[in-house]
Amino acid sequence: MTLSAASVLAESAERRPGHPALVFGSERISYADLWRATRRYAAVLREHGVRPGDRIALLLPNTPHFPMVYYGVLALGAVVVPVHGLLRADEIVHVLRDSEARALVCAGPMLTEGARAAETTGTALLTVLAGHGTDDDGPPRLDVLAERAEPLDRLVPRAPDDLALVLYTSGTTGRPKGAMITHLNLVMNVHTTMRSPFDLTPDDVLLGCLPLFHTFGQTCGMSACFLAGGTLVLMSRFDGPGALDLMVTEGCTVFMGVPTMYLALLDAAAEDPRRPALDRAFSGGSALPVKILEDFQEVYGCPIYEGYGLTETSPVVAYNQKAWPRRPGTVGRTIWGVEAEIAAADVEDRVELLPYGEVGEIVVRGHNVMAGYLNRPEATAAVLVDGWFRTGDLGTKDADGYLTLVDRKKDMVLRGGYNVYPREVEDVLMRHPAIAQVAVIGVPDDKYGEEVCAVVRTRPGSEPGPELAADIVSWSRERVAAHKYPRLVEFVTDFPLGPSGKVLKRELVARYSGRS
């Protein structure tokens, strides 16, 4: 049996050759042209020695070059290793060494870090977007060479359990680990989510503002859109006013984003009266406060479906879906073919399932679970237990099958022996009139072990300072239990964000743990 994830693009090019696959600035690229360019990229990569099973690292921004290289690598039967676009050379070195990458395809604007990393590891370097003119002394120009290459004539067959991707985790605990995603993992997640929850059709126009190096933008956005035969409108870098303008001018019907993007779109809407013809929006990456969901629906007239996934689960596990009533505050029900249950979080050597309604660790099994961590047998054994993947996330499941995220196990605050789940407190604090965004963390405390601290970005017109901090403390004291409300409030203008737009709470903890 053979299965290639490159068929996601190849088959839509057969079905809808003249339909626009990509919009990027003034460029309109049809499915036929995108697939032809992809096969030319594949031919050049093959001429440079890339063989089935080789791992090829991609350090590329959101431009048409990304899908051309991505599907070109898959068409050859090689393995794509996307690299986070903001990594420094030493961090890229880790990815290249750990994945044993045969080559790095690097965009010109990223060569400062990428070329240093490739030189350090002895990895072959190819470039795109590396300026104009010919430079025989520089690395091979993949995009230039592809213009005169004869396209690859057919996909290299792969087995369903062959690797398609190595996706590096964000490294919240130590060095990033490479999650091994098979062709079956990838194709099943794309096919399943295209139908539900995303309900993508050939007439849909999706704003591609999530970074393509991240699994949300790459699999849920790019690949699901291409499988449906829709149009992907690429943004090289997200900002609220620009996204609103692009969605209006390009007629976007679908938006996918992380909570910080929804906040930015609400801010943009306050300055720009235009509204796009959005039919539905999807949130993932981190917990979406219910207040933001409500505000977005009111301002944009469009429902947000919130869901849940991880790098290790290809990525989607569960979503609010049209087939069942939306339940704000939950991440919905599992997608087709996937199971998720709640297990005792403190039992590590086996999976001990808990009854409905109890808080525990979310465990997952199904077609979406990775083959394991590359070169990490012990880390793999720690998370793949009794046929389940242990997510490290705390949650509950009700009798109707809806999952509710409580928090990351490691983000839970233990104050005076009581568990405090930051997400619960954040949902309450988001209703304070002066708070635009908040992250709740635990900081060391001599008396209680940890104290609850709210890190706040204020709304325009609200003055950060001791008076507002005292008001937030007293306001929250009336609305949450005594052990949960924040005694400490810190103000920021911006939050440290990870590649998927998640707030990096570990950085906030480090910043405020030394306070007197």
Side-chain angles (χ1 to χ4, degrees):
M1 180 180 177
T2 63
L3 183 68
S4 171
S7 63
V8 164
L9 178 57
E11 290 179 9
S12 287
E14 291 259 337
R15 291 196 311 269
R16 320 198 76 209
H19 190 76
L22 277 178
V23 173
F24 183 67
S26 61
E27 289 183 79
R28 299 285 188 276
I29 303 174
S30 70
Y31 273 96
D33 288 343
L34 179 59
W35 182 231
R36 190 179 303 109
T38 295
R39 290 183 292 129
R40 284 177 167 154
Y41 275 51
V44 175
L45 289 167
R46 186 173 59 184
E47 288 168 10
H48 282 80
V50 176
R51 298 292 177 261
D54 286 345
R55 292 160 197 159
I56 308 302
L58 277 57
L59 185 56
L60 300 170
N62 279 23
T63 72
H65 301 84
F66 190 101
M68 291 171 186
V69 180
Y70 181 91
Y71 292 106
V73 171
L74 292 174
L76 287 174
V79 181
V80 179
V81 184
V83 181
H84 176 18
L86 296 179
L87 293 188
R88 297 300 185 188
D90 288 349
E91 297 165 310
I92 300 167
V93 164
H94 166 70
V95 172
L96 296 179
R97 280 189 175 142
D98 190 67
S99 66
E100 298 176 331
R102 181 181 181 95
L104 169 67
V105 181
C106 183
M110 298 170 164
L111 275 170
T112 302
E113 305 296 332
R116 281 174 53 206
E119 185 178 1
T120 300
T121 56
T123 306
L125 179 65
L126 296 98
T127 67
V128 297
L129 290 168
H132 300 288
T134 56
D135 181 2
D136 295 334
D137 297 328
R141 294 276 307 277
L142 177 56
D143 46 357
V144 173
L145 294 170
E147 290 173 5
R148 53 180 183 267
E150 193 65 31
L152 188 76
D153 55 353
R154 66 187 51 163
L155 300 180
V156 174
R158 302 307 282 158
D161 60 354
D162 282 336
L163 289 191
L165 308 170
V166 177
L167 297 175
Y168 278 82
T169 62
S170 54
T172 52
T173 51
R175 284 279 203 175
K177 299 184 287 288
M180 297 187 289
I181 305 299
T182 66
H183 284 269
L184 182 67
N185 288 151
L186 184 55
V187 169
M188 286 297 291
N189 216 264
V190 172
H191 272 263
T192 303
T193 59
M194 183 205 77
R195 293 201 322 270
S196 182
F198 303 137
D199 297 290
L200 291 167
T201 73
D203 297 322
D204 275 318
V205 181
L206 170 67
L207 183 67
C209 57
L210 290 159
L212 294 178
F213 59 73
H214 189 268
T215 182
F216 190 7
Q218 182 189 120
T219 306
C220 304
M222 177 179 76
S223 289
C225 183
F226 286 165
L227 181 67
T231 301
L232 183 67
V233 179
L234 274 182
M235 269 191 99
S236 55
R237 187 179 180 87
F238 176 84
D239 69 275
L244 174 51
D245 180 66
L246 207 48
M247 286 194 291
V248 169
T249 56
E250 295 296 343
C252 289
T253 57
V254 184
F255 179 80
M256 293 182 185
V258 296
T260 49
M261 292 178 173
Y262 286 99
L263 283 165
L265 284 174
L266 285 171
D267 289 343
E271 305 295 327
D272 186 339
R274 297 176 302 160
R275 297 292 177 262
L278 285 179
D279 176 67
R280 58 207 182 280
F282 299 92
S283 181
S286 58
L288 180 74
V290 174
K291 178 73 164 60
I292 301 301
L293 185 146
E294 293 169 352
D295 289 350
F296 188 86
Q297 180 150 5
E298 183 180 337
V299 171
Y300 282 87
C302 169
I304 297 178
Y305 295 86
E306 188 179 5
Y308 169 63
L310 306 99
T311 302
E312 294 92 339
T313 56
S314 305
V316 182
V317 171
Y319 248 101
N320 279 277
Q321 302 171 52
K322 281 189 175 180
W324 298 283
R326 268 190 320 142
R327 291 195 184 170
T330 78
V331 291
R333 297 165 57 118
T334 52
I335 62 169
W336 183 89
V338 170
E339 297 174 77
E341 297 292 347
I342 307 299
D346 54 351
V347 178
E348 294 189 0
D349 60 340
R350 66 187 186 281
V351 169
E352 188 178 291
L353 298 182
L354 299 175
Y356 291 129
E358 291 201 23
V359 175
E361 184 174 2
I362 299 171
V363 294
V364 179
R365 67 182 177 189
H367 55 70
N368 60 341
V369 175
M370 66 172 180
Y373 292 120
L374 183 66
N375 307 323
R376 302 282 200 289
E378 290 181 5
T380 299
V383 296
L384 296 181
V385 180
D386 292 344
W388 296 88
F389 170 65
R390 304 191 67 137
T391 64
D393 289 320
L394 296 174
T396 63
K397 185 178 180 181
D398 67 20
D400 294 327
Y402 285 78
L403 282 175
T404 299
L405 286 185
V406 173
D407 236 309
R408 290 289 294 169
K409 269 200 299 192
K410 62 179 179 292
D411 285 343
M412 187 184 76
V413 181
L414 191 61
R415 183 187 188 274
Y418 291 97
N419 293 348
V420 179
Y421 301 111
R423 184 188 175 182
E424 180 188 2
V425 183
E426 289 163 358
D427 268 345
V428 174
L429 288 170
M430 278 302 296
R431 296 186 181 278
H432 187 286
I435 293 178
Q437 190 177 0
V438 62
V440 170
I441 59 173
V443 296
D445 183 81
D446 291 340
K447 184 175 180 181
Y448 294 103
E450 284 187 297
E451 189 53 272
V452 181
C453 175
V455 184
V456 169
R457 180 171 67 82
T458 59
R459 291 186 181 279
S462 297
E463 187 65 37
E467 190 174 326
L468 180 56
D471 179 70
I472 290 170
V473 171
S474 62
W475 184 92
S476 57
R477 185 177 187 174
E478 295 173 5
R479 289 164 173 80
V480 295
H483 65 288
K484 296 178 184 176
Y485 75 85
R487 269 70 170 180
L488 307 172
V489 177
E490 300 284 352
F491 295 101
V492 295
T493 53
D494 291 297
F495 285 91
L497 301 177
S500 64
K502 270 185 196 171
V503 173
L504 298 176
K505 289 189 173 181
R506 66 184 184 275
E507 290 193 14
L508 295 176
V509 171
R511 186 185 304 176
Y512 297 116
S513 288
R515 68 191 307 285
S516 54

